[in-house]
Amino acid sequence: ADALIGRLGRLAVDTLRVVSVSLLGKVLWSTEQALRTTKPQDVCGQIAELTVTAQAELVSRGTQLSGVGIGLPGAFDETTGVLRFAPNLGWRNVDFLPMITKALAHAGYDVAAFDNGLLKIELVREVPEAMKPRRIPIGDTPSAKVQQIEARAA
């Protein structure tokens, strides 16, 4: 299965769009959802919910989500994590980083750090039973059940 970058792509005036793409740029899954509200903390909660949905969809297809990107509509200060101005949402000086960190943590993700404009998230990975490694015994078969098929002289 391809490793993926899930992109929580476009936060618009009334819509949140989620697109999961392969590392080669192929769209594997997408959905769009109306914003329930434009309150920043509620939008962060909705982003976290859609992240969980996207990951579950990809896991059900045998694909691993390897990262998440969040596109914000406005001037974002990468050094502080503050969304300075998003006029279409009515946001000004929204301290986005703590809000999205809290929402993602509530959804079961560990948010490690914010570094050079990137929010590092440790994704919760639920591996389906069929994809888990299995132990195959080698050499544990009792000799009474072993049958020699052919023999060659050395």
Side-chain angles (χ1 to χ4, degrees), residues 3-67:
L4 293 185
I5 295 176
R7 182 170 178 254
L8 292 171
R10 185 149 164 70
L11 175 57
V13 176
D14 58 357
T15 305
L16 183 60
R17 181 175 300 135
V18 177
V19 181
S20 298
V21 297
S22 71
L23 294 174
L24 299 175
K26 178 182 175 191
V27 174
L28 300 173
W29 181 80
S30 68
T31 190
E32 198 170 289
Q33 192 177 85
L35 284 176
R36 294 181 205 125
T37 174
T38 58
K39 288 182 180 179
Q41 63 272 25
D42 294 340
V43 171
C44 289
Q46 193 172 354
I47 289 170
E49 290 170 15
L50 284 175
T51 302
V52 170
T53 301
Q55 184 178 12
E57 179 65 31
L58 296 172
V59 166
S60 74
R61 296 175 182 206
T63 306
Q64 178 180 322
L65 182 67
S66 64

Side-chain angles (χ1 to χ4, degrees), residues 25 33 46 49-50 56 74 78 88 92 94 99 107 116 145:
Q33 192 177 85
Q46 193 172 354
E49 290 170 15
L50 284 175
E78 294 178 357
N88 293 339
R92 184 179 294 277
V94 172
M99 278 189 259
N116 293 326
K145 293 184 180 180

Side-chain angles (χ1 to χ4, degrees), residues 71-104:
L72 298 171
F76 183 70
D77 185 339
E78 294 178 357
T79 59
T80 64
V82 173
L83 182 63
R84 294 289 176 203
F85 186 55
N88 293 339
L89 292 171
W91 294 3
R92 184 179 294 277
N93 294 322
V94 172
D95 200 3
F96 186 77
L97 181 60
M99 278 189 259
I100 194 64
T101 299
K102 183 177 179 181
L104 289 167

